[in-house]
Amino acid sequence: MADRLTQLQDCLDQLATQFYASLRYLSTHHSSSSTLPPSPHVAPFPATDTNPHQRPDTPTTFAAAQRELATDLVEKVQEIEYLTGTLPGLDKSEESQVKKIRELEQELRRVEEERKAAVGERKKCLGVLEEVIGKVGRVKD
């Protein structure tokens, strides 16, 4: 599983893709009717079909698709908010984070010393074992 920052970046990329896909769908599947009521002060905009790629949906299909696209966007934003909330350190002050880093550094030094001691013990045991094997080999000769 990817780390949280990678998941967050993936979600942001997916959100951008969803925004683009939503805008593309809305621009190619809307009806050409005017969204403003007629006004005596404004000349009506001619309803010519200038986009040959436009394939209008029925109003119910278009409204259902709008709701689905909006729901998908909201869910993705909620996922991003959740991932952002799970990032470490958001609920801690800088001082407490620095203190935690120092504690972890000390623990790392202690564990490294234990590792070095274990390596030394292993070398010593290996030397004893080689000596015993050498003596057994000489006894058999």
Side-chain angles (χ1 to χ4, degrees), residues 7-126:
Q7 289 175 329
L8 186 59
Q9 181 62 50
D10 290 344
C11 282
L12 289 170
D13 292 343
Q14 291 166 0
L15 181 65
T17 302
Q18 284 179 315
F19 274 132
Y20 174 78
S22 297
L23 290 172
R24 177 80 174 149
Y25 175 83
L26 294 173
S27 67
T28 58
H29 290 84
H30 70 85
S31 66
S32 296
S33 64
S34 175
T35 57
L36 299 174
S39 171
H41 305 291
V42 177
F45 187 75
T48 59
D49 188 13
T50 58
N51 185 356
H53 301 290
Q54 187 174 1
R55 299 174 306 277
D57 284 339
T58 63
T60 55
T61 303
F62 188 69
Q66 283 179 315
R67 281 189 295 280
E68 183 178 348
L69 291 170
T71 300
D72 291 346
L73 290 171
V74 168
E75 287 175 356
K76 188 55 69 176
V77 168
Q78 288 173 342
E79 185 179 351
I80 289 169
E81 287 176 355
Y82 170 77
L83 288 171
T84 303
T86 62
L87 290 174
L90 291 179
D91 57 342
K92 297 178 182 166
S93 68
E94 183 178 348
E95 295 83 25
S96 66
Q97 291 179 35
V98 169
K99 180 181 175 189
K100 180 68 174 178
I101 289 172
R102 287 192 178 124
E103 290 171 0
L104 290 172
E105 286 174 343
Q106 289 175 353
E107 182 180 349
L108 181 62
R109 284 188 199 103
R110 182 185 54 78
V111 170
E112 179 63 19
E113 290 300 321
E114 289 175 8
R115 187 192 68 80
K116 286 179 182 178
V119 167
E121 182 69 24
R122 181 185 60 98
K123 287 181 180 178
K124 187 166 61 169
C125 290
L126 185 60

